[in-house]
Short mmCIF file of all heavy atoms in Angstrom, two decimals:
data_model
loop_
_atom_site.label_atom_id
_atom_site.label_comp_id
_atom_site.label_asym_id
_atom_site.label_seq_id
_atom_site.Cartn_x
_atom_site.Cartn_y
_atom_site.Cartn_z
N MET A 1 190.44 96.21 19.41
CA MET A 1 190.79 94.86 19.65
C MET A 1 191.69 94.62 20.93
O MET A 1 192.48 95.46 21.25
CB MET A 1 191.56 94.30 18.45
CG MET A 1 191.93 92.85 18.48
SD MET A 1 192.81 92.32 16.99
CE MET A 1 191.63 90.94 16.57
N GLU A 2 191.43 93.51 21.61
CA GLU A 2 192.21 93.26 22.84
C GLU A 2 193.65 93.04 22.54
O GLU A 2 194.00 92.29 21.64
CB GLU A 2 191.50 92.08 23.56
CG GLU A 2 190.14 92.29 23.98
CD GLU A 2 189.95 93.20 25.20
OE1 GLU A 2 191.01 93.34 26.01
OE2 GLU A 2 188.89 93.83 25.36
N ARG A 3 194.56 93.63 23.38
CA ARG A 3 195.95 93.36 23.27
C ARG A 3 196.26 91.96 23.55
O ARG A 3 197.22 91.59 22.94
CB ARG A 3 196.65 94.35 24.29
CG ARG A 3 197.03 95.56 23.91
CD ARG A 3 197.97 96.27 24.62
NE ARG A 3 197.19 97.32 25.46
CZ ARG A 3 197.86 97.95 26.53
NH1 ARG A 3 198.97 97.59 26.98
NH2 ARG A 3 197.13 98.82 27.05
N LEU A 4 195.58 91.19 24.41
CA LEU A 4 195.99 89.81 24.56
C LEU A 4 195.81 89.03 23.25
O LEU A 4 196.64 88.16 23.11
CB LEU A 4 194.94 89.33 25.71
CG LEU A 4 195.04 87.79 25.90
CD1 LEU A 4 196.34 87.37 26.48
CD2 LEU A 4 193.89 87.38 26.77
N TYR A 5 194.82 89.30 22.43
CA TYR A 5 194.60 88.49 21.33
C TYR A 5 195.58 88.79 20.32
O TYR A 5 196.04 87.96 19.50
CB TYR A 5 193.16 88.58 20.91
CG TYR A 5 192.25 88.16 21.89
CD1 TYR A 5 191.10 88.97 22.36
CD2 TYR A 5 192.23 86.85 22.50
CE1 TYR A 5 190.25 88.59 23.26
CE2 TYR A 5 191.44 86.44 23.53
CZ TYR A 5 190.41 87.36 23.93
OH TYR A 5 189.49 87.06 24.84
N LEU A 6 195.96 90.10 20.16
CA LEU A 6 197.09 90.57 19.31
C LEU A 6 198.43 89.82 19.63
O LEU A 6 199.14 89.32 18.87
CB LEU A 6 197.25 91.99 19.22
CG LEU A 6 196.35 92.76 18.45
CD1 LEU A 6 196.57 94.26 18.68
CD2 LEU A 6 196.26 92.44 17.04
N TYR A 7 198.69 89.81 20.95
CA TYR A 7 199.93 89.16 21.49
C TYR A 7 199.97 87.80 21.26
O TYR A 7 200.86 87.23 20.64
CB TYR A 7 199.99 89.57 23.02
CG TYR A 7 201.14 89.17 23.72
CD1 TYR A 7 202.24 89.73 23.70
CD2 TYR A 7 201.11 87.79 24.35
CE1 TYR A 7 203.53 89.32 24.45
CE2 TYR A 7 202.19 87.38 25.15
CZ TYR A 7 203.42 88.17 25.11
OH TYR A 7 204.44 87.66 25.69
N ASP A 8 198.86 86.97 21.65
CA ASP A 8 198.87 85.65 21.38
C ASP A 8 198.71 85.21 19.86
O ASP A 8 199.43 84.16 19.44
CB ASP A 8 197.78 85.01 22.22
CG ASP A 8 197.97 84.92 23.67
OD1 ASP A 8 199.16 84.84 24.04
OD2 ASP A 8 197.02 85.00 24.46
N GLY A 9 198.04 86.00 19.10
CA GLY A 9 198.05 85.73 17.65
C GLY A 9 199.47 85.94 17.05
O GLY A 9 199.82 85.09 16.13
N ALA A 10 200.13 86.92 17.48
CA ALA A 10 201.54 87.12 16.94
C ALA A 10 202.42 85.95 17.37
O ALA A 10 203.29 85.46 16.60
CB ALA A 10 202.01 88.37 17.50
N LEU A 11 202.24 85.47 18.58
CA LEU A 11 203.06 84.35 19.09
C LEU A 11 202.81 83.17 18.21
O LEU A 11 203.76 82.26 17.89
CB LEU A 11 202.94 84.05 20.51
CG LEU A 11 203.67 84.96 21.52
CD1 LEU A 11 203.27 84.55 22.95
CD2 LEU A 11 205.23 84.80 21.25
N ALA A 12 201.55 82.90 18.12
CA ALA A 12 201.12 81.68 17.22
C ALA A 12 201.54 81.88 15.84
O ALA A 12 202.02 80.85 15.21
CB ALA A 12 199.63 81.56 17.27
N LEU A 13 201.64 83.00 15.28
CA LEU A 13 202.08 83.23 13.88
C LEU A 13 203.64 82.94 13.68
O LEU A 13 204.07 82.34 12.79
CB LEU A 13 201.70 84.53 13.36
CG LEU A 13 201.90 84.93 11.94
CD1 LEU A 13 201.01 83.96 11.02
CD2 LEU A 13 201.58 86.39 11.59
N ILE A 14 204.26 83.38 14.78
CA ILE A 14 205.74 83.01 14.77
C ILE A 14 206.06 81.54 14.95
O ILE A 14 206.90 80.99 14.22
CB ILE A 14 206.45 83.87 15.98
CG1 ILE A 14 206.43 85.43 15.69
CG2 ILE A 14 207.91 83.40 16.20
CD1 ILE A 14 206.89 86.24 16.85
N GLY A 15 205.28 80.85 15.86
CA GLY A 15 205.39 79.45 15.86
C GLY A 15 205.04 78.73 14.57
O GLY A 15 205.75 77.84 14.17
N LEU A 16 203.98 79.30 13.89
CA LEU A 16 203.55 78.57 12.62
C LEU A 16 204.57 78.90 11.55
O LEU A 16 205.08 77.99 10.77
CB LEU A 16 202.24 79.19 12.16
CG LEU A 16 201.67 78.62 10.97
CD1 LEU A 16 201.37 77.16 11.11
CD2 LEU A 16 200.33 79.33 10.52
N SER A 17 205.17 80.08 11.61
CA SER A 17 206.32 80.32 10.56
C SER A 17 207.47 79.49 10.93
O SER A 17 208.16 79.01 9.84
CB SER A 17 206.67 81.85 10.60
OG SER A 17 207.28 82.15 11.79
N VAL A 18 207.72 79.19 12.17
CA VAL A 18 208.97 78.13 12.46
C VAL A 18 208.56 76.85 11.82
O VAL A 18 209.58 76.16 11.35
CB VAL A 18 209.13 78.29 13.98
CG1 VAL A 18 210.03 76.99 14.43
CG2 VAL A 18 209.69 79.44 14.42
N ILE A 19 207.36 76.40 12.04
CA ILE A 19 207.02 75.09 11.53
C ILE A 19 207.22 74.99 10.09
O ILE A 19 207.69 74.03 9.46
CB ILE A 19 205.61 74.70 12.05
CG1 ILE A 19 205.47 74.57 13.44
CG2 ILE A 19 205.15 73.45 11.25
CD1 ILE A 19 204.06 74.38 14.05
N VAL A 20 206.76 76.09 9.26
CA VAL A 20 206.81 76.10 7.86
C VAL A 20 208.21 76.02 7.39
O VAL A 20 208.55 75.29 6.53
CB VAL A 20 206.07 77.23 7.26
CG1 VAL A 20 206.31 77.42 5.90
CG2 VAL A 20 204.55 77.15 7.54
N GLN A 21 209.07 76.89 8.10
CA GLN A 21 210.48 76.86 7.61
C GLN A 21 211.17 75.70 7.83
O GLN A 21 212.01 75.30 7.00
CB GLN A 21 211.20 78.08 8.35
CG GLN A 21 210.71 79.41 7.89
CD GLN A 21 211.63 80.60 8.42
OE1 GLN A 21 212.62 80.35 8.78
NE2 GLN A 21 210.82 81.76 8.50
N THR A 22 210.88 74.93 9.05
CA THR A 22 211.51 73.69 9.21
C THR A 22 211.05 72.55 8.30
O THR A 22 211.79 71.68 7.88
CB THR A 22 211.42 73.16 10.70
OG1 THR A 22 209.96 73.17 10.96
CG2 THR A 22 212.12 74.06 11.63
N ALA A 23 209.75 72.74 7.98
CA ALA A 23 209.21 71.71 6.78
C ALA A 23 209.85 71.90 5.54
O ALA A 23 210.16 71.01 4.79
CB ALA A 23 207.72 71.78 6.78
N VAL A 24 210.18 73.07 5.16
CA VAL A 24 210.74 73.41 3.88
C VAL A 24 212.28 73.07 3.84
O VAL A 24 212.64 72.47 2.86
CB VAL A 24 210.56 75.03 3.52
CG1 VAL A 24 211.30 75.40 2.27
CG2 VAL A 24 209.10 75.18 3.30
N THR A 25 212.99 73.46 4.90
CA THR A 25 214.46 73.35 4.86
C THR A 25 214.86 72.21 5.82
O THR A 25 215.89 72.62 6.64
CB THR A 25 215.07 74.58 5.04
OG1 THR A 25 214.74 75.12 6.31
CG2 THR A 25 214.85 75.70 3.94
N GLY A 26 214.32 71.13 5.93
CA GLY A 26 214.71 70.13 7.03
C GLY A 26 215.95 69.40 6.53
O GLY A 26 215.80 68.32 5.75
N ASP A 27 217.16 69.69 6.99
CA ASP A 27 218.41 68.94 6.70
C ASP A 27 218.61 67.86 7.58
O ASP A 27 218.77 66.64 7.20
CB ASP A 27 219.51 69.93 6.64
CG ASP A 27 219.33 71.09 5.45
OD1 ASP A 27 218.66 70.72 4.50
OD2 ASP A 27 219.93 72.08 5.58
N ASN A 28 218.64 68.20 8.94
CA ASN A 28 219.06 67.21 9.96
C ASN A 28 217.61 66.75 10.52
O ASN A 28 216.99 67.58 11.21
CB ASN A 28 220.01 67.78 10.97
CG ASN A 28 220.39 66.93 12.02
OD1 ASN A 28 220.05 65.72 11.94
ND2 ASN A 28 221.36 67.35 12.85
N ALA A 29 217.36 65.61 10.55
CA ALA A 29 216.07 64.96 10.93
C ALA A 29 215.87 65.18 12.39
O ALA A 29 214.73 65.63 12.68
CB ALA A 29 216.00 63.52 10.68
N ALA A 30 216.84 65.00 13.30
CA ALA A 30 216.66 65.20 14.67
C ALA A 30 216.46 66.76 15.07
O ALA A 30 215.56 67.04 15.82
CB ALA A 30 217.82 64.72 15.44
N LEU A 31 217.27 67.58 14.55
CA LEU A 31 217.15 69.02 14.82
C LEU A 31 215.97 69.53 14.21
O LEU A 31 215.20 70.29 14.81
CB LEU A 31 218.33 69.72 14.24
CG LEU A 31 218.47 71.28 14.51
CD1 LEU A 31 218.50 71.49 15.89
CD2 LEU A 31 219.57 71.81 13.76
N THR A 32 215.50 69.10 13.09
CA THR A 32 214.14 69.52 12.39
C THR A 32 213.00 69.12 13.26
O THR A 32 212.10 69.95 13.51
CB THR A 32 214.12 68.96 11.05
OG1 THR A 32 215.18 69.29 10.29
CG2 THR A 32 212.79 69.40 10.41
N ALA A 33 213.01 67.98 13.81
CA ALA A 33 211.90 67.49 14.70
C ALA A 33 211.84 68.35 15.86
O ALA A 33 210.69 68.69 16.29
CB ALA A 33 211.99 66.02 15.01
N VAL A 34 212.98 68.66 16.59
CA VAL A 34 213.05 69.56 17.78
C VAL A 34 212.37 70.95 17.49
O VAL A 34 211.67 71.35 18.26
CB VAL A 34 214.38 69.52 18.46
CG1 VAL A 34 214.55 70.48 19.46
CG2 VAL A 34 214.78 68.12 18.81
N VAL A 35 212.89 71.41 16.35
CA VAL A 35 212.53 72.84 16.04
C VAL A 35 211.06 72.79 15.75
O VAL A 35 210.26 73.87 16.04
CB VAL A 35 213.41 73.40 14.93
CG1 VAL A 35 212.75 74.80 14.39
CG2 VAL A 35 214.88 73.52 15.43
N ALA A 36 210.52 71.80 14.91
CA ALA A 36 209.14 71.83 14.65
C ALA A 36 208.25 71.50 15.89
O ALA A 36 207.22 72.27 15.99
CB ALA A 36 208.88 70.54 13.58
N VAL A 37 208.75 70.76 16.80
CA VAL A 37 207.95 70.55 17.99
C VAL A 37 207.82 71.92 18.84
O VAL A 37 206.90 72.30 19.33
CB VAL A 37 208.49 69.43 18.87
CG1 VAL A 37 208.05 69.42 20.30
CG2 VAL A 37 208.33 68.10 18.15
N SER A 38 208.97 72.64 18.83
CA SER A 38 209.01 73.93 19.65
C SER A 38 208.09 74.95 18.88
O SER A 38 207.46 75.75 19.61
CB SER A 38 210.46 74.45 19.75
OG SER A 38 211.01 74.89 18.48
N GLY A 39 208.09 74.97 17.68
CA GLY A 39 207.06 75.85 16.93
C GLY A 39 205.67 75.49 17.25
O GLY A 39 204.80 76.28 17.39
N GLY A 40 205.38 74.14 17.21
CA GLY A 40 204.08 73.70 17.61
C GLY A 40 203.63 74.04 19.07
O GLY A 40 202.58 74.28 19.38
N ALA A 41 204.72 73.97 19.97
CA ALA A 41 204.52 74.18 21.31
C ALA A 41 204.06 75.74 21.45
O ALA A 41 203.32 76.22 22.31
CB ALA A 41 205.66 74.02 22.25
N MET A 42 204.70 76.61 20.57
CA MET A 42 204.34 78.03 20.51
C MET A 42 202.89 78.16 20.24
O MET A 42 202.23 79.08 20.80
CB MET A 42 205.32 78.90 19.67
CG MET A 42 206.64 79.03 20.17
SD MET A 42 207.70 79.98 19.08
CE MET A 42 206.94 81.64 19.27
N VAL A 43 202.46 77.47 19.20
CA VAL A 43 201.07 77.77 18.77
C VAL A 43 200.19 77.21 19.80
O VAL A 43 199.16 77.89 20.13
CB VAL A 43 200.96 76.90 17.37
CG1 VAL A 43 199.49 76.99 16.92
CG2 VAL A 43 201.81 77.47 16.33
N VAL A 44 200.43 76.09 20.38
CA VAL A 44 199.51 75.64 21.34
C VAL A 44 199.53 76.44 22.62
O VAL A 44 198.42 76.74 23.25
CB VAL A 44 199.98 73.95 21.68
CG1 VAL A 44 199.15 73.58 22.84
CG2 VAL A 44 199.62 73.28 20.49
N GLY A 45 200.68 76.88 22.95
CA GLY A 45 200.87 77.77 24.20
C GLY A 45 200.10 78.98 23.99
O GLY A 45 199.40 79.52 24.98
N ALA A 46 200.28 79.63 22.85
CA ALA A 46 199.58 80.86 22.63
C ALA A 46 198.02 80.72 22.54
O ALA A 46 197.33 81.49 23.06
CB ALA A 46 199.95 81.47 21.23
N GLY A 47 197.54 79.59 21.98
CA GLY A 47 196.12 79.34 21.96
C GLY A 47 195.60 79.03 23.35
O GLY A 47 194.55 79.58 23.81
N TYR A 48 196.32 78.33 24.19
CA TYR A 48 195.92 78.10 25.62
C TYR A 48 195.86 79.31 26.33
O TYR A 48 195.00 79.63 27.16
CB TYR A 48 196.78 76.98 26.22
CG TYR A 48 196.62 76.76 27.68
CD1 TYR A 48 195.59 75.97 28.00
CD2 TYR A 48 197.21 77.39 28.77
CE1 TYR A 48 195.33 75.57 29.24
CE2 TYR A 48 196.95 77.05 30.11
CZ TYR A 48 195.91 76.16 30.29
OH TYR A 48 195.70 75.83 31.62
N ASP A 49 197.01 80.09 26.13
CA ASP A 49 196.92 81.44 26.88
C ASP A 49 195.70 82.33 26.52
O ASP A 49 195.17 82.99 27.42
CB ASP A 49 198.25 82.32 26.60
CG ASP A 49 198.48 83.42 27.49
OD1 ASP A 49 198.15 83.34 28.69
OD2 ASP A 49 198.88 84.56 26.91
N ALA A 50 195.43 82.38 25.34
CA ALA A 50 194.29 83.22 24.83
C ALA A 50 193.04 82.78 25.49
O ALA A 50 192.12 83.56 25.62
CB ALA A 50 194.19 83.19 23.23
N LEU A 51 192.91 81.36 25.52
CA LEU A 51 191.58 80.84 26.15
C LEU A 51 191.52 81.00 27.58
O LEU A 51 190.39 81.26 28.16
CB LEU A 51 191.44 79.38 25.67
CG LEU A 51 191.32 79.22 24.21
CD1 LEU A 51 191.24 77.69 23.95
CD2 LEU A 51 189.97 79.75 23.79
N ARG A 52 192.60 80.88 28.34
CA ARG A 52 192.62 80.81 29.71
C ARG A 52 192.82 82.18 30.44
O ARG A 52 192.33 82.37 31.63
CB ARG A 52 193.61 79.91 30.22
CG ARG A 52 193.47 78.50 29.80
CD ARG A 52 192.28 77.75 30.20
NE ARG A 52 192.37 77.56 31.63
CZ ARG A 52 191.36 77.27 32.32
NH1 ARG A 52 190.12 77.00 31.82
NH2 ARG A 52 191.48 77.08 33.64
N ARG A 53 193.56 83.17 29.86
CA ARG A 53 193.84 84.35 30.62
C ARG A 53 192.66 85.46 30.42
O ARG A 53 192.05 85.54 29.28
CB ARG A 53 195.10 84.95 29.94
CG ARG A 53 195.48 86.17 30.78
CD ARG A 53 196.74 86.81 30.25
NE ARG A 53 197.95 85.90 30.24
CZ ARG A 53 199.23 86.36 30.13
NH1 ARG A 53 199.35 87.63 29.88
NH2 ARG A 53 200.19 85.55 30.17
N ASP A 54 192.42 86.20 31.48
CA ASP A 54 191.40 87.21 31.35
C ASP A 54 192.10 88.52 30.71
O ASP A 54 193.06 89.00 31.02
CB ASP A 54 191.02 87.57 32.72
CG ASP A 54 190.01 88.75 32.82
OD1 ASP A 54 189.23 88.88 31.86
OD2 ASP A 54 189.85 89.36 33.94
N PRO A 55 191.41 88.86 29.52
CA PRO A 55 191.92 90.00 28.78
C PRO A 55 192.04 91.40 29.60
O PRO A 55 192.97 92.07 29.34
CB PRO A 55 190.96 90.23 27.54
CG PRO A 55 190.27 88.96 27.42
CD PRO A 55 190.21 88.39 28.90
N ALA A 56 191.20 91.52 30.59
CA ALA A 56 191.21 92.65 31.42
C ALA A 56 192.44 92.65 32.30
O ALA A 56 192.95 93.66 32.72
CB ALA A 56 189.94 92.77 32.28
N ALA A 57 193.00 91.48 32.60
CA ALA A 57 194.19 91.35 33.48
C ALA A 57 195.43 91.38 32.77
O ALA A 57 196.51 91.17 33.34
CB ALA A 57 194.08 90.10 34.40
N PHE A 58 195.42 91.43 31.45
CA PHE A 58 196.70 91.36 30.66
C PHE A 58 197.56 92.66 30.91
O PHE A 58 197.01 93.74 30.72
CB PHE A 58 196.23 91.33 29.20
CG PHE A 58 197.43 91.02 28.20
CD1 PHE A 58 198.12 89.82 28.31
CD2 PHE A 58 197.83 92.00 27.28
CE1 PHE A 58 199.31 89.75 27.40
CE2 PHE A 58 198.82 91.74 26.45
CZ PHE A 58 199.61 90.61 26.45
N ALA A 59 198.70 92.52 31.13
CA ALA A 59 199.43 93.77 31.53
C ALA A 59 200.76 93.91 30.81
O ALA A 59 201.74 94.50 31.34
CB ALA A 59 199.87 93.63 33.20
N VAL A 60 200.66 93.57 29.45
CA VAL A 60 201.98 93.78 28.61
C VAL A 60 201.76 95.25 28.00
O VAL A 60 200.79 95.59 27.63
CB VAL A 60 202.04 92.71 27.78
CG1 VAL A 60 203.24 93.02 26.74
CG2 VAL A 60 202.43 91.29 28.40
N PRO A 61 202.88 96.03 28.03
CA PRO A 61 202.74 97.38 27.51
C PRO A 61 202.38 97.29 26.02
O PRO A 61 202.79 96.29 25.35
CB PRO A 61 204.07 98.06 27.71
CG PRO A 61 204.69 97.20 28.60
CD PRO A 61 204.10 95.78 28.67
N ALA A 62 201.75 98.34 25.42
CA ALA A 62 201.40 98.44 23.94
C ALA A 62 202.60 98.43 23.21
O ALA A 62 202.53 97.84 22.03
CB ALA A 62 200.55 99.65 23.74
N GLY A 63 203.71 99.01 23.61
CA GLY A 63 204.92 98.99 22.66
C GLY A 63 205.43 97.54 22.58
O GLY A 63 205.99 97.15 21.49
N ALA A 64 205.43 96.69 23.64
CA ALA A 64 205.80 95.35 23.55
C ALA A 64 204.89 94.54 22.61
O ALA A 64 205.44 93.68 21.78
CB ALA A 64 205.88 94.70 24.97
N VAL A 65 203.63 94.75 22.58
CA VAL A 65 202.80 94.10 21.73
C VAL A 65 203.08 94.55 20.31
O VAL A 65 203.04 93.67 19.38
CB VAL A 65 201.31 94.39 22.08
CG1 VAL A 65 200.33 93.66 21.09
CG2 VAL A 65 201.01 93.83 23.47
N LEU A 66 203.21 95.82 20.06
CA LEU A 66 203.49 96.21 18.71
C LEU A 66 204.90 95.62 18.13
O LEU A 66 204.90 95.10 17.08
CB LEU A 66 203.68 97.78 18.66
CG LEU A 66 204.10 98.33 17.29
CD1 LEU A 66 202.84 98.19 16.40
CD2 LEU A 66 204.21 99.86 17.53
N ALA A 67 205.84 95.50 19.09
CA ALA A 67 207.13 95.00 18.64
C ALA A 67 206.95 93.49 18.33
O ALA A 67 207.49 93.03 17.29
CB ALA A 67 208.20 95.05 19.78
N LEU A 68 206.13 92.82 19.10
CA LEU A 68 205.84 91.24 18.72
C LEU A 68 205.13 91.18 17.53
O LEU A 68 205.36 90.30 16.77
CB LEU A 68 205.05 90.66 19.86
CG LEU A 68 205.01 89.22 19.85
CD1 LEU A 68 206.34 88.52 19.89
CD2 LEU A 68 204.19 88.69 20.94
N VAL A 69 204.12 92.10 17.16
CA VAL A 69 203.34 91.98 16.00
C VAL A 69 204.26 92.34 14.76
O VAL A 69 204.28 91.72 13.67
CB VAL A 69 202.16 92.99 15.86
CG1 VAL A 69 201.58 93.18 14.57
CG2 VAL A 69 201.09 92.54 16.96
N VAL A 70 205.16 93.21 14.94
CA VAL A 70 206.21 93.37 13.80
C VAL A 70 207.05 92.28 13.63
O VAL A 70 207.43 91.92 12.39
CB VAL A 70 206.91 94.74 14.06
CG1 VAL A 70 208.19 94.93 13.08
CG2 VAL A 70 206.13 95.90 14.03
N ALA A 71 207.53 91.60 14.64
CA ALA A 71 208.29 90.44 14.65
C ALA A 71 207.60 89.35 13.90
O ALA A 71 208.21 88.55 13.18
CB ALA A 71 208.80 90.04 16.02
N ALA A 72 206.27 89.14 14.23
CA ALA A 72 205.58 88.16 13.57
C ALA A 72 205.44 88.41 12.05
O ALA A 72 205.49 87.52 11.26
CB ALA A 72 204.20 88.03 14.18
N GLY A 73 205.28 89.59 11.69
CA GLY A 73 205.27 90.07 10.27
C GLY A 73 206.53 89.76 9.56
O GLY A 73 206.56 89.17 8.43
N VAL A 74 207.63 89.96 10.20
CA VAL A 74 208.99 89.74 9.68
C VAL A 74 209.12 88.12 9.48
O VAL A 74 209.62 87.72 8.57
CB VAL A 74 210.11 90.27 10.54
CG1 VAL A 74 211.42 89.75 10.15
CG2 VAL A 74 210.13 91.74 10.43
N ALA A 75 208.78 87.35 10.65
CA ALA A 75 208.72 85.92 10.55
C ALA A 75 208.07 85.32 9.47
O ALA A 75 208.32 84.33 8.75
CB ALA A 75 208.40 85.41 11.88
N LEU A 76 206.75 85.95 9.27
CA LEU A 76 205.91 85.41 8.21
C LEU A 76 206.50 85.70 6.75
O LEU A 76 206.50 84.85 5.82
CB LEU A 76 204.52 86.13 8.20
CG LEU A 76 203.48 85.60 7.21
CD1 LEU A 76 203.26 84.06 7.24
CD2 LEU A 76 202.21 86.46 7.32
N CYS A 77 207.02 86.85 6.54
CA CYS A 77 207.74 87.15 5.37
C CYS A 77 208.86 86.38 5.16
O CYS A 77 209.08 85.84 3.97
CB CYS A 77 208.19 88.64 5.39
SG CYS A 77 206.87 89.86 5.21
N GLY A 78 209.66 85.99 6.08
CA GLY A 78 210.84 85.09 6.08
C GLY A 78 210.36 83.72 5.63
O GLY A 78 210.99 83.08 4.88
N ALA A 79 209.31 83.20 6.21
CA ALA A 79 208.81 82.00 5.91
C ALA A 79 208.28 81.84 4.45
O ALA A 79 208.59 80.83 3.72
CB ALA A 79 207.62 81.50 6.89
N LEU A 80 207.50 82.92 4.06
CA LEU A 80 207.00 82.90 2.62
C LEU A 80 208.17 82.91 1.57
O LEU A 80 208.10 82.31 0.68
CB LEU A 80 206.11 84.05 2.44
CG LEU A 80 204.75 83.98 3.20
CD1 LEU A 80 203.98 85.29 3.01
CD2 LEU A 80 203.98 82.76 2.71
N LEU A 81 209.32 83.81 1.97
CA LEU A 81 210.39 83.79 1.07
C LEU A 81 211.13 82.41 1.03
O LEU A 81 211.53 82.06 -0.04
CB LEU A 81 211.34 84.85 1.54
CG LEU A 81 212.53 85.19 0.77
CD1 LEU A 81 212.28 85.67 -0.54
CD2 LEU A 81 213.47 86.17 1.57
N ASN A 82 211.21 81.78 2.24
CA ASN A 82 211.93 80.56 2.17
C ASN A 82 211.04 79.52 1.42
O ASN A 82 211.69 78.64 0.65
CB ASN A 82 211.88 80.10 3.71
CG ASN A 82 213.05 79.10 3.90
OD1 ASN A 82 213.71 78.62 3.03
ND2 ASN A 82 213.16 78.71 5.22
N VAL A 83 209.73 79.47 1.56
CA VAL A 83 208.93 78.57 0.73
C VAL A 83 209.14 78.88 -0.84
O VAL A 83 209.23 78.00 -1.65
CB VAL A 83 207.45 78.68 1.08
CG1 VAL A 83 206.58 78.02 0.10
CG2 VAL A 83 207.24 78.15 2.44
N ALA A 84 209.18 80.25 -1.14
CA ALA A 84 209.27 80.70 -2.55
C ALA A 84 210.67 80.30 -3.16
O ALA A 84 210.69 79.80 -4.34
CB ALA A 84 209.14 82.24 -2.75
N LEU A 85 211.78 80.47 -2.26
CA LEU A 85 213.08 80.02 -2.85
C LEU A 85 213.31 78.55 -2.89
O LEU A 85 214.00 78.13 -3.71
CB LEU A 85 214.02 80.53 -1.95
CG LEU A 85 214.19 82.14 -1.94
CD1 LEU A 85 215.27 82.65 -0.98
CD2 LEU A 85 214.56 82.44 -3.44
N ALA A 86 212.57 77.75 -2.12
CA ALA A 86 212.58 76.26 -2.20
C ALA A 86 211.91 75.67 -3.25
O ALA A 86 212.16 74.48 -3.81
CB ALA A 86 212.10 75.71 -0.87
N ALA A 87 210.92 76.40 -3.99
CA ALA A 87 210.17 75.75 -5.01
C ALA A 87 210.87 75.81 -6.29
O ALA A 87 211.83 76.21 -6.53
CB ALA A 87 208.89 76.63 -5.21
#
């Protein structure tokens, strides 16, 4: 699998988990909106990058991609835990 798509998929997953967490625990309306918009921007930006960048020209080291994939897994677990505790 191409490293570019792993990288952008992990970024999109982190952005999606930010959106989920702000939807579940939205206390301050203005701050929640700003954080949700930033999560959406991560998702849109990752999708745009995956569509526009040439996978052969992607130059991020494999260790950095692995670290981002692990961070996305942690963010997803945190979002799921947040949803479970809010129910």
Side-chain angles (χ1 to χ4, degrees):
M1 181 175 239
E2 295 286 337
R3 271 195 254 168
L4 170 68
Y5 301 126
L6 284 175
Y7 181 84
D8 286 331
L11 278 179
L13 190 60
I14 291 171
L16 186 62
S17 69
V18 167
I19 293 171
V20 168
Q21 289 187 27
T22 56
V24 170
T25 61
D27 295 333
N28 187 354
L31 182 62
T32 301
V34 169
V35 173
V37 167
S38 68
M42 285 182 72
V43 172
V44 170
Y48 179 78
D49 186 44
L51 292 174
R52 300 297 292 173
R53 189 184 296 195
D54 181 21
F58 186 68
V60 174
V65 175
L66 178 64
L68 190 63
V69 168
V70 169
V74 170
L76 180 64
C77 289
L80 293 176
L81 183 63
N82 204 358
V83 168
L85 292 176

